[in-house]
Amino acid sequence: MKITKVYTRTGDKGMTSLVGGVRIKKSDIRLEAYGTVDELSANLGMLVSMMKEGDERSLLIRVQNNLFNVCTHLATDQSRTPLYPSAHLAEGEIELLEERIDKLMKDLPERQGFILPGGVTAACQAHICRTVCRRAERRIAALSEIAQIGPEMQMYVNRLSDYLFVLAKIINFNEGKSEIIWENACK
């Protein structure tokens, strides 16, 4: 799609258009849901910029592309507009994340306990992405209580947060950076 004009002035009074042209308030929960997914994609872009060429970087770019599909799905009020083909995830995307999580987990030493987010810069960014992803998941769950949302959207975002957690761990491991285990002061 070619962008011919960046500003339209149609949102200046707190309204915006969904897919199909339906106008809603910018404070609507639907915008909060897909806006948070967009925020996640922007944070993933920062993580991609820190990553070396390879499988994880390629997967993160694929995820960013998939998040556009998620946003299109969330930006469609299915009670008024049918879903476009771009509002669906390709078959197997959830399973792809699961397979990648399983592969990375096999490469990690077994550790017990909760970890404090941190480590090298890229791992820190992966943790930021994970927390934004969890917020996106909560927003999608809230939206699904009042609107029709395909269950695969929430499943994908849930699995993505798991992948980002494991990705942060593997980044630190590959860089030789030990994780800090949470010390429960209330023992």
Side-chain angles (χ1 to χ4, degrees), residues 45-148:
M46 176 65 84
L47 179 56
V48 166
S49 76
M50 299 172 181
M51 302 288 292
K52 297 173 187 160
E53 291 294 329
D55 292 342
E56 302 322 315
R57 187 177 189 279
S58 296
L59 182 55
L60 289 172
I61 292 169
R62 181 180 185 138
V63 165
Q64 283 185 290
N65 277 287
N66 285 336
L67 291 179
F68 263 85
N69 298 71
V70 173
C71 283
T72 302
H73 189 100
L74 299 175
T76 305
D77 181 345
Q78 295 179 56
S79 70
R80 301 165 125 178
T81 306
L83 286 173
Y84 292 159
S86 61
H88 298 280
L89 289 170
E91 192 71 31
E93 292 300 317
I94 295 167
E95 294 78 10
L96 177 68
L97 288 176
E98 290 172 347
E99 290 167 9
R100 196 69 197 147
I101 291 166
D102 292 342
K103 192 247 178 252
L104 293 176
M105 286 299 292
K106 287 179 184 172
D107 294 341
L108 289 169
E110 198 169 321
R111 298 286 302 249
Q112 298 297 319
F114 291 101
I115 62 165
L116 300 180
V120 299
T121 305
C124 292
Q125 184 63 30
H127 279 297
I128 291 168
C129 291
R130 175 186 56 79
T131 61
V132 174
C133 191
R134 288 285 189 210
R135 181 162 33 93
E137 183 183 5
R138 292 189 302 271
R139 299 299 183 258
I140 294 168
L143 177 60
S144 71
E145 292 175 5
I146 62 167
Q148 183 179 348

